[in-house]
Every structure is written in structure tokens, then in C-alpha cells.
């Protein structure tokens, strides 16, 4: 009886100890769970950081394109260095002696003088026709180009002249020529729509199919 009572008395103490041990293990589990859940925000917070690290790999703004001002300056410089073509308003025309005549044609020089204050370019062929006056229309056919003389660019400084040799056929040698008196020459400088008048008493043919005039390119004179 004594042993059974002793065992019965010890049983409650053992059960209490076991319950205490179970309570201790159960309380540790929430602690570990809380610790794991607390670590999760740290990992999530690092995600924006890795996203930010990709920023340097993003395309960088390209370098500024070269300025066009340099090209414009070069083009402008070329324009300033160039010389404009001679216009009829800058020129004074005259007929100068040439190499004489042959086979019914008289050869003379058509001279153009720069009477302006600036240099100008004289290059190529003039347009020339006989006319009945300063304001009159052309008579007969205009001058034909004689390309035996090469085209040469000529810079006429103020007071300088260039000349083109031209030939004038004698109207009397053409049997079908309708002879008329011309008062001079209408001259269009190369690449110019303006003209100037050079007075000269010349026998002309009013027939448009008769070509009395031939003209070469301008040269220094």
C-alpha cells in the first residue's frame, strides 16, 4: 500500500513536468516562424536595389551631332571668295580692230570693259545680233558661235576689259539678201538677260536664214 501511494503521489508531478516540456517546445516554434517572416522583407527590399543596378546598362544619350555651322561657314567662305558674273549694268561695250578680213568677212573684236567698282567674271559667249537702234529689235539671224577658241574664265578688275573676236560677213555677197541699214549691235553678256547697245553703221540682211555674224569666246584684252 505504501508503494502504490508513493507512485500515485509521484504521477501528478511527472505529468506536470511533461506538460511543461511540451509548452516550452511549442513556444519556440512561433519564435522561429517570426524570425523567418522577418527575413522575408529584407530579401524583398533588395529587389529594387538589383533593379537599380540595371540603370547603367540603359542606353546613354548619344553625343551631340556635329554642328552644321562649320559647313555653313565653309560654304559661306567659298561664296565670299567667288566673283559674280559681269552684268550688262557693269559693262561698257566697244568695237575694236581685229585681224582684218578675208573672203568677204571682216574680223573685229567685241570688247567689254568693267566700269563698276567691283571685280566680275566674264566667261563664255555673248549673245550678239544686229539691231536698228538702242531700243530696236534684232535684224536677221543672231551670231553663230565659233568654238575654235576655248572658253576661259576672266576676272575683270575695275577698268579692265575682255574681248571676243567676231566676224561680220558682207551683206552684198548674198544674192538673196534683203539689205537694210543696222545702227549697231545688241550684246548680251554671258549668262545675263540684260543687254547693252554698241553703235555702228553696218549693212545687214533682214533675212533670218542668212547668218552674217560669227563670235568666239571672250579672252583677256
Amino acid at each position: 500500500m505504501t508503494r502504490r501511494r508513493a507512485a500515485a503521489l509521484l504521477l501528478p508531478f511527472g505529468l506536470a513536468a511533461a506538460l511543461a516540456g511540451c509548452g516550452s517546445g511549442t513556444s519556440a516554434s512561433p519564435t522561429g516562424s517570426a524570425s523567418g517572416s522577418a527575413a522575408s522583407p529584407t530579401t524583398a527590399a533588395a529587389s529594387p536595389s538589383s533593379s537599380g543596378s540595371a540603370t547603367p546598362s540603359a542606353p546613354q544619350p548619344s553625343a551631340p551631332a556635329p554642328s552644321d555651322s562649320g559647313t555653313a561657314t565653309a560654304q559661306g567662305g567659298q561664296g565670299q571668295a567667288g566673283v559674280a558674273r559681269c552684268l550688262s549694268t557693269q559693262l561698257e561695250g566697244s568695237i575694236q580692230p581685229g585681224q582684218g578680213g578675208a573672203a568677204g568677212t571682216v574680223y573685229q573684236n567685241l570688247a567689254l570693259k568693267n566700269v563698276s567698282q567691283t571685280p566680275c567674271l566674264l566667261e563664255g559667249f555673248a549673245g550678239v545680233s544686229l539691231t536698228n537702234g538702242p531700243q530696236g529689235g534684232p535684224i536677221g539671224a543672231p551670231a553663230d558661235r565659233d568654238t575654235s577658241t576655248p572658253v576661259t574664265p576672266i576676272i575683270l578688275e575695275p577698268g579692265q576689259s575682255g574681248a571676243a573676236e567676231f566676224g561680220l560677213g558682207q551683206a552684198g555677197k548674198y544674192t538673196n539678201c534683203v539689205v537694210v541699214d543696222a545702227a549697231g549691235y545688241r550684246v548680251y553678256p554671258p549668262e545675263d538677260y540684260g543687254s547693252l547697245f554698241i553703235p555702228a553703221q553696218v549693212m545687214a540682211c533682214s533675212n533670218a536664214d542668212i547668218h552674217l555674224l560669227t563670235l568666239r569666246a571672250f579672252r583677256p584684252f
Side-chain angles (χ1 to χ4, degrees), residues 90-119:
Q90 299 174 272
L91 300 171
E92 180 181 85
S94 63
I95 302 299
Q96 302 294 332
Q99 298 179 356
T105 300
V106 177
Y107 292 95
Q108 297 175 295
N109 285 300
L110 169 64
L112 296 179
K113 180 180 179 181
N114 181 5
V115 293
S116 72
Q117 300 301 312
T118 57

Side-chain angles (χ1 to χ4, degrees), residues 130-174:
L130 291 165
T131 180
N132 57 15
Q135 306 301 325
I139 300 175
D144 295 325
R145 291 183 178 184
D146 179 349
T147 58
S148 61
T149 299
V151 173
T152 303
I154 308 165
I155 302 298
L156 295 184
E157 297 293 338
Q160 291 184 339
S161 299
E165 186 178 55
F166 77 98
L168 171 64
Q170 297 180 2
K173 74 176 184 179
Y174 296 92

Side-chain angles (χ1 to χ4, degrees), residues 153-212:
I154 308 165
I155 302 298
L156 295 184
E157 297 293 338
Q160 291 184 339
S161 299
E165 186 178 55
F166 77 98
L168 171 64
Q170 297 180 2
K173 74 176 184 179
Y174 296 92
T175 57
N176 59 337
C177 172
V178 179
V179 180
V180 295
D181 292 328
Y185 299 93
R186 173 75 59 203
V187 178
Y188 293 85
E191 307 296 332
D192 187 12
Y193 289 104
S195 65
L196 50 91
F197 174 75
I198 302 176
Q201 297 298 318
V202 179
M203 298 295 294
C205 295
S206 62
N207 314 47
D209 59 335
I210 295 179
H211 295 247
L212 296 180

Side-chain angles (χ1 to χ4, degrees), residues 37-131:
S37 63
S40 177
T42 303
T43 305
S47 178
S49 175
S50 63
S51 174
S53 65
T55 302
S57 64
Q60 298 297 315
S62 58
S67 173
D68 291 337
S69 60
T71 303
T73 301
Q75 292 175 348
Q78 291 176 0
Q80 293 174 2
V83 178
R85 285 188 175 272
C86 298
L87 301 177
S88 58
T89 53
Q90 299 174 272
L91 300 171
E92 180 181 85
S94 63
I95 302 299
Q96 302 294 332
Q99 298 179 356
T105 300
V106 177
Y107 292 95
Q108 297 175 295
N109 285 300
L110 169 64
L112 296 179
K113 180 180 179 181
N114 181 5
V115 293
S116 72
Q117 300 301 312
T118 57
C120 64
L121 172 66
L122 185 65
E123 179 181 13
F125 294 86
V128 179
S129 61
L130 291 165
T131 180

